[in-house]
Structures are given as C-alpha cells and as structure tokens.
Amino acid sequence: MQPNKLLKPGLYSAASHDQAGAIVRLKGGRCRCGYVFFPMQTYGCERCGSHGDALTPCELSAKGTLLAEATVHLHADKNRPAPFTIVKVALDDGPVIRTLLAEDSAPVAPGQRVSGRLAAIGQNESGETVLDLRFSIAS
C-alpha cells in the first residue's frame, strides 16, 4: 500500500484519526489582540495591524457553519473538471473560508453544520495517493 501525501501541507494537516478517518486541523494564526485568521501569514493583523511576534501560528478546527454555496459549471482551467461546488464556511474558531464541497456530499444549504476531511483526488508520479481538503455535511 502506497503512503498518502497532502496536496497543501502548508494549509492543513491530518492531526489524528477517529472512526470516520483523519481529523483535519487547519493551520491558522492568532494575533495578540485576539483576532484569528486563516491561513497563517506574517504580513500583519487585519484587525489591529500588529505584525512580527504579535502573530503566532495556531491550529483551527475544520468544523463550521455553511454560509453559502455555488456550483461552478464552467471553469477557465481545462484541468479542473466541472461541475464542482464551492462553499463559504464560518469556522467555529472564527475565520470565514471558501473551499470545495466533497463530490460525494449530500446537497447542502446555508445554516447547516459542515466539517472538513481529507479526500483522495488522485495519485502523484510516485504512486502516492494525494489527499486534499473537502467539506461535507457534519456527521
């Protein structure tokens, strides 16, 4: 069995496993003013403008509430097969993100609880299964 590889390890990690699979943790940041953001960056806090040591990395839960969804039927990148659904999620830890809905997810509607998981999206040239973050209705 070939190992798995994360598509974007700078944005998320597989923190541990439960019965449903890998528990995903997002790599965000926190300012000393209390503002939480995603992804981690060092350019400055969007709320107070602090930078440097005021910004520290933190792990965020991949759970939240769906705010909106939109299905893309035609995409400029020919390598991105359509249709696919983009969702806007208010994470429980504060940030609002736009991400992809899992292909096997049931239809979603604003206000529903959703959670992130790692989904296989293909294999790389080494034969490793490549995993990427996808959201679906929380179980």
Side-chain angles (χ1 to χ4, degrees):
M1 180 176 175
Q2 291 292 326
N4 296 328
K5 182 174 179 99
L6 298 178
L7 182 64
K8 299 173 185 168
L11 295 179
Y12 49 79
S13 64
S16 61
H17 290 77
D18 64 7
Q19 294 176 344
I23 296 173
V24 179
R25 302 296 292 177
L26 303 178
K27 297 180 178 182
R30 182 179 309 274
C31 179
R32 86 174 70 145
C33 75
Y35 185 75
V36 178
F37 49 90
F38 174 82
M40 175 63 194
Q41 53 83 17
T42 58
Y43 302 110
C45 176
E46 294 176 19
R47 179 192 284 168
C48 72
S50 295
H51 53 85
D53 293 345
L55 306 176
T56 56
C58 69
E59 288 190 340
L60 306 174
S61 166
K63 295 181 180 180
T65 303
L66 183 76
L67 299 176
E69 58 90 17
T71 300
V72 176
H73 293 279
L74 181 63
H75 195 272
D77 183 352
K78 302 279 186 223
N79 296 320
R80 164 91 58 195
F84 57 91
T85 301
I86 298 174
V87 292
K88 186 175 182 181
V89 177
L91 297 174
D92 292 346
D93 292 315
V96 174
I97 65 170
R98 274 177 261 148
T99 185
L100 292 170
L101 184 70
E103 291 179 11
D104 60 353
S105 175
V108 293
Q112 286 184 301
R113 296 285 300 159
V114 292
S115 61
R117 61 183 166 95
L118 295 173
I121 61 167
Q123 290 188 328
N124 64 13
E125 60 282 348
S126 302
E128 297 169 309
T129 299
V130 179
L131 304 174
D132 196 16
L133 179 66
R134 298 289 190 267
F135 275 72
S136 59
I137 296 173
S139 52

